[in-house]
Amino acid sequence: MQLYNLKHPEEKVSFAQALKQGLGRDRGLFFPAKIPLIDNIAALLQKPFIERSQEILAAWLSDEIPENRLNQLVSRAFSFPVPVVRVEERLFSLELFHGPTLAFKDFGARFMAQCLNELAENQPVTILTATSGDTGAAVADAFHGLNNIKVVILYPEGRISSLQEKMFCTLGDNITTIAISSDFDACQELVKQAFANEPLNRALHLNSANSINISRLLAQICYFFEGVAQLQRFDTNAPVISVPSGNFGDLTAGLFAQAMGMPVKRFIAATNSNDTVPRYLADGVWAPHPTRATMSNAMDVSEPSNWPRVEAILKHNGRQLSELQGISVSEEETRSSLAHLNAIGYLAEPHAAVAAEALQKTLLPAETGLFLATAHPAKFKERVDEILRTDIPLPRPLAEAAARPLLSERLICDFDLLKKRLLLLNQTA
Ligand SMILES: *Cc1c(COP(=O)(O)O)cnc(C)c1O
């Protein structure tokens, strides 16, 4: 697989390089030189999830990872179910939260960990990542206990639920977690600064497991196909797919799937009140506001890092930006969406509620809607219980994590302090 830097197209890398490097020069995102087309989509959709995912990923990666190895990586990474659930006559949920940390980020993180294990050739690496919640848990779990890989996770102090925090800040071993006294964008900025710092990079072999890493996006393509495949059992319309978006990695993966030939009527970029993209789609002006804290906190992002890829895919395919629908959902609407879904028998959490609401607002009578349910409701138990006046039970992975003590450190939002801390980490084996 050949990729190039969107900011400096002359910089070309292989998948293995993009996997290890994360970003190119000037923090440019890597983008595939070619998007493979699937010849027989109908046959592909007939296949079981793992087999189909192996075929999809082989279309991208077979020149770099032998097919039998790749098949093994895929079946190890995707070892849990991905059900489509009918919510209403023409409204369906693609449940992406049945993995070990109960959120869709398990797909990308687990596949990335498998790829690094396969391609890093025993070179020690340090994963440095910023999380607004679920990435941290997924990355920590996917890499926990792997030899030669240290993981450092930054997160905004006090801006994620305490249960979310427990899911990735209690593991220890090769996992270090640092609460930063600022918001998610500031954490992401610290990570960017670390990657731009040559000496630090050389000393630690930094690698970002953020959704900017192309390996994660490739993994996520697979569940869009699975959603469409399962949906065909109920309804043969190409669906309108609503993607609850923060950094827009998920939507990027969906657009890759569409570019490969997956049938979809249109995509909705659903955001909370951090609405940079819906406003941009409406008036063509890119004008991020300061990030606002909302109850769908994994989407509290005002400068989404994957956006240049979204535009590049559309351009690659000769499509228009106007084909994307951008919908911003308020806190009030998120609450009522959650309550409405519960009233018709579907328990959701705020992120899925945002995506469902965006569909309810825009779906035409003859259309079929599929929204991505990106996290397990119990991951947002405090909020869900408060809105629905319920006391939902904790699934086992969460109950176990909740009982463990927090191992996080705290740090002021300052790059020099972070740098010192990281270098120290390298001295203690
Ligand atoms: C990360 C996350 C999102 C947003 O995904 P992006 O790829 O960053 O757009 C939505 N919902 C949940 C639960 C998440 O963890």
Side-chain angles (χ1 to χ4, degrees):
M1 176 181 187
Q2 282 285 317
L3 301 102
Y4 66 93
N5 180 338
L6 279 176
K7 281 194 183 157
H8 295 282
E10 71 282 359
E11 184 185 0
K12 297 191 166 73
V13 294
S14 65
F15 171 73
Q17 284 170 296
L19 170 73
K20 287 179 229 176
Q21 242 174 279
L23 287 169
R25 202 149 54 83
D26 286 341
R27 305 168 177 179
L29 297 165
F30 289 122
F31 192 80
K34 258 195 262 149
I35 299 179
L37 252 176
I38 302 285
D39 295 329
N40 191 339
I41 287 287
L44 184 73
L45 288 173
Q46 294 292 320
K47 294 188 173 166
F49 177 54
I50 296 291
E51 205 183 317
R52 182 188 326 105
S53 300
Q54 289 165 343
E55 198 172 317
I56 290 166
L57 290 164
W60 295 89
L61 298 174
S62 61
D63 60 332
E64 287 190 56
I65 307 177
E67 218 145 304
N68 61 331
R69 305 288 307 156
L70 183 61
N71 287 352
Q72 225 173 53
L73 307 190
V74 173
S75 35
R76 276 197 208 130
F78 300 165
S79 53
F80 45 89
V82 194
V84 167
V85 174
R86 183 171 227 158
V87 174
E88 269 183 322
E89 179 61 21
R90 292 194 175 277
L91 184 67
F92 296 82
S93 165
L94 175 59
E95 294 190 343
L96 303 174
F97 54 73
H98 298 280
T101 72
L102 309 174
F104 83 91
K105 295 194 170 77
D106 281 327
F107 288 91
R110 290 168 65 83
F111 183 66
M112 179 177 174
Q114 292 294 327
C115 288
L116 259 186
N117 220 22
E118 173 79 19
L119 296 171
E121 288 139 8
N122 291 330
Q123 182 192 60
V125 288
T126 303
I127 304 279
L128 175 64
T129 189
T131 185
S132 50
D134 293 333
T135 303
V139 167
D141 186 87
F143 287 93
H144 186 213
L146 286 187
N147 278 338
N148 272 332
I149 303 185
K150 284 179 184 149
V151 177
V152 178
I153 299 173
L154 311 183
Y155 64 99
E157 185 174 7
R159 306 237 183 156
I160 67 176
S161 82
S162 63
L163 264 170
Q164 265 185 323
E165 194 176 16
K166 287 279 180 133
M167 287 225 45
F168 67 96
C169 302
T170 62
L171 292 167
D173 304 323
N174 59 332
I175 313 292
T176 301
T177 52
I178 307 180
I180 302 287
S181 57
S182 191
D183 62 18
F184 173 65
D185 284 333
C187 294
Q188 223 173 8
E189 195 50 41
L190 285 175
V191 169
K192 284 181 187 168
Q193 277 180 281
F195 276 87
N197 190 293
E198 269 309 317
L200 191 64
N201 225 320
R202 249 199 318 277
L204 296 175
H205 297 285
L206 287 182
N207 187 312
S208 166
N210 259 349
S211 63
I212 51 158
N213 197 289
I214 192 73
S215 62
R216 294 187 30 164
L217 301 181
L218 294 186
Q220 290 170 233
I221 293 171
C222 299
Y223 57 65
F224 280 93
F225 275 94
E226 176 65 7
V228 169
Q230 283 189 47
L231 199 59
Q232 288 191 339
R233 294 199 315 249
F234 299 100
D235 192 322
T236 52
N237 277 334
V240 177
I241 303 181
S242 178
V243 183
S245 297
N247 264 318
F248 282 78
D250 220 351
L251 184 66
T252 302
L255 290 168
F256 276 137
Q258 183 187 34
M260 293 178 80
M262 184 190 80
V264 48
K265 179 90 183 280
R266 69 174 175 280
F267 281 105
I268 299 177
T271 71
N272 57 31
S273 42
N274 293 286
D275 59 352
T276 307
V277 167
R279 283 186 294 109
Y280 175 64
L281 291 174
D283 64 15
V285 182
W286 186 262
H289 295 160
T291 309
R292 283 204 214 160
T294 74
M295 58 183 138
S296 50
N297 59 35
M299 311 192 319
D300 289 352
V301 183
S302 53
E303 300 191 49
S305 50
N306 273 299
W307 186 255
R309 283 182 171 137
V310 170
E311 296 209 4
I313 299 173
L314 293 171
K315 203 161 128 202
H316 181 281
N317 275 16
R319 291 178 172 270
Q320 302 298 318
L321 209 51
S322 58
E323 292 179 42
L324 270 184
Q325 199 167 12
I327 302 285
S328 159
V329 174
S330 70
E331 294 292 273
E332 196 48 48
E333 290 169 324
T334 306
R335 281 172 184 275
S336 60
S337 170
L338 201 69
H340 169 72
L341 290 169
N342 188 54
I344 58 175
Y346 189 73
L347 182 63
E349 49 69 48
H351 303 79
V354 164
E357 177 64 16
L359 275 175
Q360 301 279 15
K361 279 184 168 188
T362 56
L363 202 66
L364 302 173
E367 290 178 332
T368 301
L370 179 68
F371 65 88
L372 269 48
T374 44
H376 192 291
K379 268 196 115 158
F380 295 88
K381 175 175 166 53
E382 293 154 36
R383 186 62 75 173
V384 172
D385 282 345
E386 179 235 320
I387 295 171
L388 302 178
R389 298 194 189 84
T390 48
D391 182 13
I392 57 177
L394 290 187
R396 211 173 80 204
L398 262 185
E400 285 169 1
R404 292 193 294 257
L406 269 186
L407 301 173
S408 288
E409 306 167 17
R410 297 168 63 191
L411 201 69
I412 295 167
C413 185
D414 176 273
F415 178 64
D416 287 326
L417 289 178
L418 176 68
K419 189 174 153 189
K420 283 202 186 103
R421 178 64 192 95
L422 290 175
L423 289 169
L424 196 66
L425 182 84
N426 216 25
Q427 287 157 18
T428 58

